[in-house]
């Protein structure tokens, strides 16, 4: 029993502690931003919140986010906060807030301008105080992006690093880890990550382990479709070669022709685990992915950076070569939907499939997609439909799989309320809890303690005395995601209270205006 009065007592809820254990009726006492009491005895409190009829669990940890810039533009992060997300791990898919030097800084300049962000920085150490000055609603941890590191040193050249460049990349990784990054991420379908070989990744990951001790390598693999199995072998091989933990980002079997590969992909993971590798994965509970539209282009299109990519789109001969390497069937393009364009001129494209756009343009699909990219300066987001529901839940049911949104933090109004983004930014966690076939305790574990322990977030992810008071109270009977592909900014239902570091950021389903998030350097 705590001595004296506690600051806040959450009374009468059904507590899921995050471990996967069955729930129990208990009160939760909070002081100084931490949990100081868990039990059912009489407790003196300065303030009591009645949670009768509600389920209580640790705040959800979105272990795959992309909010480096959106949190600067709108630190309210309402799309995630109102889902019950209290912590995001950013810096995924090879892109992190630092380092941003040379060609990478130039390429990211348009993102900063789009969000009207006035500050500029080159390192993670410079970036984190800027984020702290915004007082974000969520806790923020980040990986070091391999693409940001490589691009800062080599640019967008399709070649191996020289010995000197390799040492410079190691130096940047070490500096980024010392500034607070918790591991290394790669994005091997994006430039410049796609130009790296396995040996480069092993060498960097091994160096990261020597700097940070505990270390994780998270990868958006080289393929999630036709080359899926080879990509998983490569990713696991990087972990084994470097002696580090491996995390497969948004594991999937993209394209109907690849759905049958799920069992083989899982077998590769489990064979590596049996050999002693610490391997995990994450997944969002939707059958469509989302990324830049130019991801459909062949590898050679990106070399030299954005200006060279645009030149190739406009050069008649190179354009014909690009067209020849794109899929020619209408069915593929019916499943590719434009989600965002930067200017007003192309707003009519948002929400339409490439097939629909091609019909309006009076052109075939391959011509239409090249026209859209060239016309919008390649700054086009897209949603890609092509996954199966059965495999989705097969992956999410794995004991080492966790749920994640793979989205940036947005709000339903303000500077981030643009386009028609993937609904996962507003619905992932309620959707997962409502539909996970393994029960509520198991679902909560995958959204809380499992990502906290995987990524080394200390004192979070569990309701237990001494842990930080990141807490969600929700009504299981009302829990629902409402965001759709057509209306992606609709807020979920059933999330009643959200506490971040002991402060009520959401009360009775409404944001309080408090933004009590912290930057978690090194997971602290």
């Amino acid at each position: 029993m705590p001595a004296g009065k506690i600051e806040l007592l959450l009374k009468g809820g059904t507590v899921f502690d995050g471990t996967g254990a069955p729930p129990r009726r208990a009160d939760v006492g909070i002081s100084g931003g931490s949990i100081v009491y868990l039990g059912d005895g009489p407790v003196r409190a300065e303030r009591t919140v009645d949670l009768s009829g509600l389920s209580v669990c640790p705040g959800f940890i979105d272990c795959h986010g992309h909010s480096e810039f959106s949190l600067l533009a709108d630190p309210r992060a309402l799309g995630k906060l109102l889902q019950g997300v209290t912590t995001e791990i950013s810096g995924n898919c090879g892109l992190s807030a630092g380092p941003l030097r040379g060609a990478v800084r130039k390429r990211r300049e348009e993102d900063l301008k789009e969000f009207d962000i006035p500050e500029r920085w080159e390192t993670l150490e410079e970036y984190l105080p800027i984020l702290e000055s915004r007082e974000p609603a969520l806790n923020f941890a980040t990986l070091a992006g391999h693409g940001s590191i490589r691009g800062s040193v080599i640019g967008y050249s399709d070649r191996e690093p020289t010995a000197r460049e390799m040492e410079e990349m190691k130096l940047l990784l070490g500096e980024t880890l010392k500034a607070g990054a918790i591991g290394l991420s790669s994005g091997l379908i994006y430039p410049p990550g796609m130009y790296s070989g396995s040996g480069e990744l092993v060498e960097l990951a091994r160096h990261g382990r020597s700097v940070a001790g505990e270390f994780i390598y998270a990868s958006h693999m080289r393929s999630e479709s036709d080359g899926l199995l080879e990509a998983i072998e490569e990713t696991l091989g990087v972990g084994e070669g470097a002696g580090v933990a491996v995390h497969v980002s948004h594991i999937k079997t993209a394209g109907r022709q690849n759905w049958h590969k799920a069992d083989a992909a899982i077998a590769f993971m489990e064979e590596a685990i049996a050999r002693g590798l610490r391997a995990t994965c994450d997944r969002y509970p939707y059958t469509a992915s989302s990324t830049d539209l130019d991801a459909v282009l062949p590898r050679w299109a990106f070399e030299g950076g954005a200006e060279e990519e645009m030149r190739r789109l406009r050069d008649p001969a190179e354009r014909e070569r690009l067209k020849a390497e794109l899929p020619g069937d209408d069915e593929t393009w019916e499943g590719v939907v434009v989600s965002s364009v930067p200017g007003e001129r192309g707003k009519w494209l948002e929400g339409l499939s490439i097939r629909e756009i091609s019909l309006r343009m009076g052109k075939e699909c391959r011509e239409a997609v090249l026209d859209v990219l060239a016309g919008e300066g390649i700054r086009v987001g897209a949603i890609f439909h092509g996954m199966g529901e059965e495999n989705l839940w097969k992956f999410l049911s794995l004991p080492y799989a966790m749920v994640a949104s793979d989205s940036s933090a947005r709000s339903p109004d303000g500077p981030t309320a643009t386009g028609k983004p993937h609904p996962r930014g507003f619905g992932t966690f309620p959707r997962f809890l409502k539909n996970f076939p393994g029960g509520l305790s198991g679902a909560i574990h995958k959204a809380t303690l499992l990502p906290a322990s995987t990524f080394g977030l200390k004192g979070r992810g569990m309701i237990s005395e001494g842990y930080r008071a990141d807490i969600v109270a929700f009504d299981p009977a009302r829990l629902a995601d409402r965001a759709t592909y057509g209306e992606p900014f609709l807020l979920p239902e059933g999330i009643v209270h959200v506490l971040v570091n002991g402060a009520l950021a959401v009360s009775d389903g409404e944001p309080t205006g408090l933004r009590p998030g912290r930057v978690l350097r090194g997971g602290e």
Side-chain angles (χ1 to χ4, degrees):
M1 202 71 63
K5 279 189 178 181
I6 61 173
E7 295 172 5
L8 177 64
L9 184 67
L10 306 178
K11 189 171 181 61
T14 300
V15 174
F16 294 79
D17 67 5
T19 66
R24 66 186 179 102
R25 160 51 185 92
D27 301 335
V28 182
I30 299 163
S31 287
S34 294
I35 298 168
V36 296
Y37 173 75
L38 182 63
D40 58 3
V43 176
R44 294 187 301 149
E46 295 174 9
R47 180 184 179 190
T48 298
V49 177
D50 184 7
L51 301 186
S52 300
L54 299 180
S55 295
V56 184
C57 69
F60 303 135
I61 297 171
D62 190 350
C63 67
H64 189 111
H66 291 279
S67 301
E68 295 89 356
F69 302 144
S70 65
L71 274 178
L72 294 181
D74 186 351
R76 297 175 300 162
L78 294 179
K80 292 198 178 186
L81 186 67
L82 291 168
Q83 290 185 62
V85 173
T86 57
T87 299
E88 178 187 305
I89 298 172
S90 202
N92 286 285
C93 299
L95 172 65
S96 56
L100 291 182
R101 297 177 178 172
V104 169
R105 181 172 177 176
K106 183 178 180 182
R107 186 162 185 136
R108 298 271 76 88
E109 183 66 24
E110 291 304 315
D111 296 321
L112 298 172
K113 288 179 180 177
E114 183 178 334
F115 282 132
D116 198 24
I117 296 167
E119 297 94 344
R120 296 296 181 267
W121 62 91
E122 290 193 350
T123 67
L124 185 66
E125 185 176 20
E126 293 170 340
Y127 164 82
L128 292 178
I130 297 171
L131 178 59
E132 287 172 323
S133 74
R134 298 293 203 276
E135 298 182 351
L138 310 178
N139 300 314
F140 178 91
T142 185
L143 298 160
H146 165 256
S148 296
I149 292 168
R150 190 181 218 272
S152 292
V153 174
I154 303 175
Y156 292 84
S157 298
D158 185 359
R159 61 175 177 81
E160 293 184 2
T162 65
R164 182 175 178 177
E165 288 168 339
M166 193 70 218
E167 289 307 308
E168 190 173 349
M169 284 196 286
K170 288 180 185 178
L171 180 64
L172 284 184
L173 174 57
E175 290 176 353
T176 308
L177 291 169
K178 289 173 183 175
I182 57 175
L184 175 70
S185 78
S186 66
L188 302 182
I189 73 160
Y190 304 115
M194 61 172 51
Y195 303 136
S196 62
S198 299
E200 176 183 323
L201 298 167
V202 169
E203 194 169 345
L204 282 171
R206 187 181 293 132
H207 179 71
R209 184 192 65 184
S210 72
V211 172
E214 286 191 27
F215 187 83
I216 191 165
Y217 168 67
S219 183
H220 181 148
M221 300 186 299
R222 214 172 289 276
S223 174
E224 298 171 324
S225 54
D226 294 348
L228 170 67
L229 300 183
E230 295 84 355
I232 285 187
E233 282 192 301
E234 178 189 30
T235 303
L236 299 171
V238 170
E240 291 184 311
V244 302
V246 164
H247 184 80
V248 176
S249 297
H250 40 59
I251 192 168
K252 63 176 72 75
T253 50
R256 184 179 293 272
Q257 74 276 13
N258 295 304
W259 290 2
H260 70 282
K261 297 177 181 178
D263 289 339
I266 292 168
F268 282 179
M269 294 274 288
E270 296 187 345
E271 287 165 6
I273 292 169
R275 293 194 299 268
L277 181 67
R278 187 177 140 204
T280 51
C281 58
D282 66 61
R283 178 60 207 259
Y284 41 83
Y286 296 85
T287 56
S289 62
S290 183
T291 190
D292 296 331
L293 179 61
D294 68 350
V296 302
L297 299 179
R299 165 178 170 147
W300 59 267
F302 305 107
E303 187 178 7
E307 291 178 0
E308 277 297 293
E309 184 180 346
M310 279 297 298
R311 184 192 63 75
R312 292 182 180 109
L313 285 166
R314 291 168 174 161
D315 179 89
E318 302 225 47
R319 184 182 170 97
E320 282 302 308
R321 184 183 170 196
L322 287 169
K323 180 180 171 183
E325 295 190 35
L326 292 174
D329 59 296
D330 290 346
E331 182 180 357
T332 295
W333 298 112
E334 284 173 357
V336 181
V337 178
V338 171
S339 60
S340 64
V341 296
E344 289 300 319
R345 184 174 61 87
K347 286 297 178 185
W348 69 273
L349 298 164
E350 293 177 347
L352 297 179
S353 72
I354 294 298
R355 172 63 175 154
E356 292 170 316
I357 292 167
S358 75
L359 292 172
R360 295 197 186 189
M361 287 181 165
K363 299 180 178 182
E364 70 158 313
C365 292
R366 293 178 298 176
E367 287 282 1
V369 74
L370 295 177
D371 279 354
V372 168
L373 287 170
E376 300 300 328
I378 65 174
R379 293 179 54 75
V380 184
I383 292 171
F384 297 80
H385 296 269
M387 291 175 270
E389 190 82 15
E390 180 182 348
N391 280 353
L392 183 163
W393 295 109
K394 180 179 287 188
F395 284 129
L396 276 170
S397 296
L398 297 170
Y400 46 87
M402 54 209 77
V403 64
S405 76
D406 189 14
S407 70
S408 60
R410 295 174 178 258
S411 294
D413 56 53
T416 61
T418 60
K420 287 189 177 293
H422 198 296
R424 63 195 181 189
F426 284 76
T428 287
F429 288 85
R431 182 183 184 92
F432 175 67
L433 265 62
K434 182 180 65 173
N435 294 299
F436 180 62
L440 200 50
S441 288
I444 288 170
H445 174 64
K446 289 175 173 293
T448 58
L449 187 57
L450 182 57
S453 58
T454 297
F455 289 91
L457 304 184
K458 300 169 183 65
R460 300 183 192 270
M462 186 162 65
I463 293 185
S464 181
E465 291 180 13
Y467 274 66
R468 299 299 295 174
D470 296 339
I471 296 173
V472 176
F474 64 94
D475 183 348
R478 292 177 47 230
L479 196 63
D481 62 299
R482 298 172 59 241
T484 66
Y485 294 102
E487 295 186 82
F489 293 99
L490 295 178
L491 296 169
E493 295 179 344
I495 302 295
V496 181
H497 304 294
V498 180
L499 288 86
V500 182
N501 295 307
L504 268 169
V506 176
S507 179
D508 293 322
E510 297 293 331
T512 64
L514 296 178
R515 301 203 303 267
R518 296 183 179 179
V519 169
L520 308 181
R521 291 173 175 83
E524 296 286 356

